[in-house]
């Protein structure tokens, strides 16, 4: 065993506390309070207090057959608590004299070109624990050279396609393997995967910038960031249930954050999954999906979208720059809308559902076609720039319990602007929440009997046009001037959505009329 380990020299980087490394000594580093180096055979790994990652090998010293350990041993604390769970990019690149490598069952990630040009390795056995695999990890190996043309398969994984794709770009993959490796069809002419809804996992950038025209994802599929990003010809996406997300991407720039030691599967559509799919105009998201990640549908082309009742989170910039998006149905039960979620979109109206307490920074910034905004009674805070540049905005309804209106929330709006406030006690607003155009031209509508109070309160008193709403038996109901607005109110005047079928039995108000479910 010692002779095997002498053939492998691994480079080390401390994750949180970078220290100098003596190239003549064979240490790995445990991320502890002291950052003390601990001797462990002639090899070096990047570790934290739970996981370790194989970083790299010295070409001329890495020969013959080696075995990567499942754990690394800390002589100082006598603990085997650092699990080796990944092989970093280019880790064994150019080790031409390496003949075999045994990968432990603890490994979950094998990254970009990990075994590039290891000419003498003719076979690999992948552990069942593997969650993140790059299709080019085995480029230039003896094993790849022996593979026939067509889908390249290793165990349950499809790594890519060897040779020319069929002329029509249509392929079947699930009969070869249920898991699709990262970068496997990146920038290829693939147009369709006939059995995509049978795949269990699709890794990062699997179809990035390809010619794919449609995507169907099964219930429970594991989808990684950027999987379909920049597919300019992708027109149709059907997500058939509870998609799960997995992050195996590296953050650019800061090397201390380049390795993800702990691979976590989370519910929902992952970050940037369908971003920059500029022809994507048909999106169906079935019940079961719980969240939409950062930039997941940025710059797509859909005009309307209905989110399922299971949706809890719409992430940061999720629909940013969707300039064709005119209407989105946000379900009751939604808990969070991320910053810039609908920035620069084509929304014409938005009804934020009950339960949302915060409108984040720039959520609707420069939605130039946005005319009407109805905010829920649960809303507490509106942060900076939330509605900047909404030049078509005609109506905004601020509920009674809003405690904060941040900087520049309603600036650069149009002149025909109506602000409806529900609170009989004026709430504090930041300087600059409204601009002079608002003060001079907008109409501030306040509860009956409170005009004088608003006229004597800082911030609000700057409005030239302050009018009282007529008293009504049903408090705080503002009937939309649009025909067939679909907005439904309860008898307390709270906006509770648009879908009557989702509501419990009772009496409601719609378009100024009583309706009974």
């Amino acid at each position: 065993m010692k002779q095997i380990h002498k053939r492998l020299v691994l480079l080390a980087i401390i994750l949180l506390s970078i220290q100098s490394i003596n190239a003549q000594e064979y240490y790995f580093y445990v991320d502890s309070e002291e950052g003390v180096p601990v001797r462990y055979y002639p090899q070096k790994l990047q570790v934290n207090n739970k996981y370790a990652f194989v970083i790299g090998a010295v070409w001329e010293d890495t020969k013959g057959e080696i075995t990567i350990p499942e754990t690394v041993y800390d002589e100082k604390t006598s603990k085997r608590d650092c699990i080796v769970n990944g092989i970093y990019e280019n880790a064994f690149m150019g080790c031409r004299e390496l003949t075999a490598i045994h990968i432990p069952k603890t490994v979950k990630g094998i990254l970009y070109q990990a075994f590039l040009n290891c000419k003498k390795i003719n076979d690999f056995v992948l552990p069942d624990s593997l969650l993140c695999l790059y299709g080019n990890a085995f480029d230039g190996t003896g094993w790849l050279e022996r593979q026939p043309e067509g889908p390249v398969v290793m165990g349950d994984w499809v790594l890519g396609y060897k040779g020319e794709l069929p002329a029509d770009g249509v392929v079947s993959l699930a009969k070869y393997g249920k898991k699709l490796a990262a970068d496997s069809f990146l920038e290829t002419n693939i147009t369709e995967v006939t059995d995509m809804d049978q795949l269990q996992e699709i890794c990062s950038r699997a179809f990035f910038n390809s010619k794919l025209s449609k995507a169907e994802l099964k219930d429970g599929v594991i989808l990684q960031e950027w999987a379909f990003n920049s597919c300019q010809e992708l027109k149709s996406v059907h997500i058939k249930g509870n998609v799960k997300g997995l992050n195996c991407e590296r953050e650019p720039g800061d090397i201390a954050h380049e390795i993800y030691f702990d691979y976590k599967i989370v519910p929902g559509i992952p970050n940037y999954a369908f971003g920059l799919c500029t022809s994507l105009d048909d999106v169906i998201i079935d019940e079961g999906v719980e969240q939409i990640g950062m930039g997941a549908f940025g710059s797509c082309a859909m005009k309307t979208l209905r989110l399922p009742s299971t949706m809890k989170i719409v992430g940061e910039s999720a629909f940013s720059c969707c300039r064709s998006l005119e209407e989105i149905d946000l379900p009751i039960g939604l808990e969070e809308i991320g910053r810039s979620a609908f920035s620069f979109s084509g929304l014409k109206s938005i009804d934020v559902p009950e339960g949302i307490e915060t409108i984040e920074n720039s959520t609707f910034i420069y939605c130039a076609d946005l005319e009407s905004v109805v905010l829920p009674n649960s809303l507490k805070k509106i942060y900076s720039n939330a509605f900047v540049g909404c030049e078509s905005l005609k109506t905004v309804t601020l509920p009674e319990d809003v405690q904060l209106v941040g900087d520049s929330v309603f600036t650069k709006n149009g002149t025909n602007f109506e602000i409806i406030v529900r609170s009989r006690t004026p709430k504090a607003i930041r300087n600059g929440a409204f601009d002079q155009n608002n003060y001079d031209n907008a109409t501030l509508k306040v509860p009956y009997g409170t005009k004088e109070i608003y006229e004597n309160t800082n911030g609000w008193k700057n409005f030239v046009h302050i009018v009282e709403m007529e008293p009504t038996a049903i408090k705080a109901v503002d009937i939309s001037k649009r025909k067939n607005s679909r907005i439904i109110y309860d008898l307390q005047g709270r906006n509770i959505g648009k879908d009557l079928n989702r509501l419990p039995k009772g009496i409601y108000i719609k378009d100024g009329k009583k309706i009974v479910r």
Side-chain angles (χ1 to χ4, degrees):
M1 180 63 72
K2 288 185 178 179
Q3 290 180 346
I4 292 174
H5 283 296
K6 286 180 180 178
R7 294 169 185 156
L8 177 62
V9 180
L10 300 176
L11 306 178
I13 304 172
I14 300 176
L15 181 63
L16 297 179
S17 178
I18 304 300
Q19 297 184 11
S20 61
I21 298 171
N22 186 339
Q24 302 304 313
E25 295 178 332
Y26 302 118
Y27 292 117
F28 73 92
Y29 283 87
V30 174
D31 172 29
S32 63
E33 289 184 0
E34 300 83 11
V36 177
V38 182
R39 187 177 297 278
Y40 177 76
Y41 295 118
Q43 52 183 313
K44 294 182 178 181
L45 302 93
Q46 177 170 325
V47 306
N48 64 4
N49 59 2
K50 188 175 181 180
Y51 297 108
F53 229 85
V54 180
I55 298 294
V58 179
W59 299 346
E60 62 270 19
D61 292 340
T62 307
K63 302 176 182 179
E65 180 178 329
I66 64 171
T67 298
I68 298 173
E70 291 186 5
T71 60
V72 287
Y73 183 68
D74 184 340
E75 291 179 346
K76 187 176 181 65
T77 61
S78 298
K79 292 182 179 179
R80 286 183 175 271
D81 59 356
C82 289
I83 301 168
V84 179
N85 78 333
I87 301 174
Y88 194 54
E89 66 177 43
N90 305 132
F92 296 92
M93 178 184 69
C95 294
R96 298 177 182 272
E97 299 303 316
L98 185 61
T99 58
I101 187 163
H102 302 286
I103 302 170
K105 62 183 179 182
T106 56
V107 165
K108 293 184 178 181
I110 300 177
L111 303 191
Y112 185 83
Q113 294 186 336
F115 302 100
L116 179 66
N117 292 331
C118 293
K119 298 290 186 182
K120 293 186 178 182
I121 302 183
N122 293 314
D123 196 19
F124 293 89
V125 177
L126 299 177
D128 293 337
S129 58
L130 195 62
L131 289 173
C132 178
L133 175 64
Y134 274 67
N136 53 24
F138 310 99
D139 284 0
T141 63
W143 173 84
L144 185 59
E145 290 177 359
R146 294 187 293 106
Q147 302 307 305
E149 291 195 352
V152 180
V153 183
M154 183 181 290
D156 294 332
W157 291 85
V158 178
L159 307 184
Y161 203 92
K162 189 174 182 179
E164 296 292 329
L165 286 165
D168 59 2
V170 179
V171 297
S172 174
L173 296 177
K175 62 183 177 182
Y176 299 102
K178 300 295 186 181
K179 301 177 181 180
L180 194 58
D183 292 0
S184 49
F185 290 91
L186 178 145
E187 297 182 342
T188 65
N189 290 325
I190 191 170
T191 60
E192 182 181 351
V193 176
T194 57
D195 51 1
M196 185 182 292
D197 61 352
Q198 299 302 308
L199 295 176
Q200 297 173 354
E201 183 171 352
I202 301 174
C203 284
S204 179
R205 297 194 304 270
F207 296 103
F208 183 90
N209 198 25
S210 70
K211 303 295 184 182
L212 201 69
S213 61
K214 66 178 182 178
E216 295 185 357
L217 304 177
K218 66 178 292 186
D219 185 11
V221 67
I222 297 173
L223 187 66
Q224 292 181 13
E225 292 183 334
W226 302 86
F228 297 89
N229 194 279
S230 300
C231 291
Q232 304 292 319
E233 298 182 25
L234 186 65
K235 296 182 178 180
S236 173
V237 169
H238 187 181
I239 300 173
K240 300 180 177 181
N242 188 22
V243 170
K244 300 175 182 178
L246 174 66
N247 178 18
C248 91
E249 274 295 296
R250 294 170 300 125
E251 294 289 342
D254 187 354
I255 195 168
H257 295 90
E258 284 192 347
I259 293 179
Y260 286 88
F261 286 96
D262 192 5
Y263 293 100
K264 292 182 180 179
I265 297 174
V266 297
I269 301 168
N271 299 344
Y272 311 110
F274 300 95
L276 296 174
C277 294
T278 54
S279 298
L280 180 55
D281 59 4
D282 181 16
V283 177
I284 300 174
I285 304 176
D286 287 349
E287 293 292 317
V289 179
E290 295 184 19
Q291 65 183 57
I292 297 174
M294 180 187 301
F297 292 96
S299 299
C300 292
M302 58 283 220
K303 291 184 178 180
T304 64
L305 184 63
R306 178 188 177 92
L307 299 184
S309 64
T310 52
M311 187 66 64
K312 302 298 182 186
I313 299 174
V314 174
E316 180 177 341
S317 302
F319 297 96
S320 179
C321 297
C322 290
R323 300 190 182 278
S324 298
L325 183 62
E326 297 180 356
E327 182 178 356
I328 187 166
D329 191 357
L330 302 177
I332 296 173
L334 190 68
E335 298 173 357
E336 180 181 330
I337 301 174
R339 62 174 62 194
S340 302
F342 301 100
S343 59
F344 298 92
S345 72
L347 284 175
K348 292 187 175 181
S349 66
I350 190 70
D351 303 316
V352 181
E354 197 65 38
I356 295 293
E357 296 187 356
T358 302
I359 301 296
E360 296 289 350
N361 291 355
S362 306
T363 300
F364 300 98
I365 190 172
Y366 286 104
C367 291
D369 297 323
L370 187 62
E371 296 181 2
S372 176
V373 175
V374 180
L375 301 173
N377 197 54
S378 57
L379 191 69
K380 301 294 190 295
K381 298 178 180 179
I382 306 175
Y383 284 110
S384 300
N385 304 313
F387 296 95
V388 168
C390 297
E391 58 189 36
S392 300
L393 197 58
K394 295 180 180 178
T395 304
V396 171
T397 303
L398 299 179
E400 185 172 353
D401 292 332
V402 169
Q403 302 298 319
L404 172 69
V405 180
D407 295 327
S408 302
V409 167
F410 295 103
T411 59
K412 300 182 180 179
N413 301 136
T415 57
N416 185 21
F417 184 27
E418 183 178 79
I419 305 163
I420 302 171
V421 295
R422 300 301 189 195
S423 178
R424 301 189 65 82
T425 302
K427 305 300 183 183
I429 58 176
R430 295 280 181 87
N431 292 331
F434 300 94
D435 62 12
Q436 195 60 46
N437 175 58
N438 296 143
Y439 291 137
D440 291 343
N441 298 294
T443 299
L444 179 64
K445 298 182 71 173
V446 300
Y448 184 77
T450 64
K451 179 180 179 181
E452 185 175 351
I453 300 174
Y454 276 86
E455 288 177 333
N456 290 282
T457 302
N458 288 338
W460 300 107
K461 68 181 182 181
N462 297 333
F463 282 92
V464 174
H465 309 287
I466 302 178
V467 298
E468 293 182 350
M469 292 181 285
E470 293 296 323
T472 176
I474 299 177
K475 182 182 67 174
V477 173
D478 174 53
I479 303 303
S480 171
K481 296 181 176 61
R482 296 180 294 132
K483 294 182 179 180
N484 300 319
S485 69
R486 296 173 56 205
I487 301 171
I488 300 172
Y489 299 90
D490 64 13
L491 294 184
Q492 285 71 48
R494 293 175 298 191
N495 168 27
I496 55 174
K498 295 182 179 181
D499 191 345
L500 187 64
N501 294 324
R502 293 185 181 181
L503 302 177
K505 293 180 180 179
I507 300 174
Y508 302 97
I509 303 296
K510 179 180 178 183
D511 289 332
K513 299 179 181 179
K514 180 175 73 174
I515 57 175
V516 179
R517 169 168 164 72

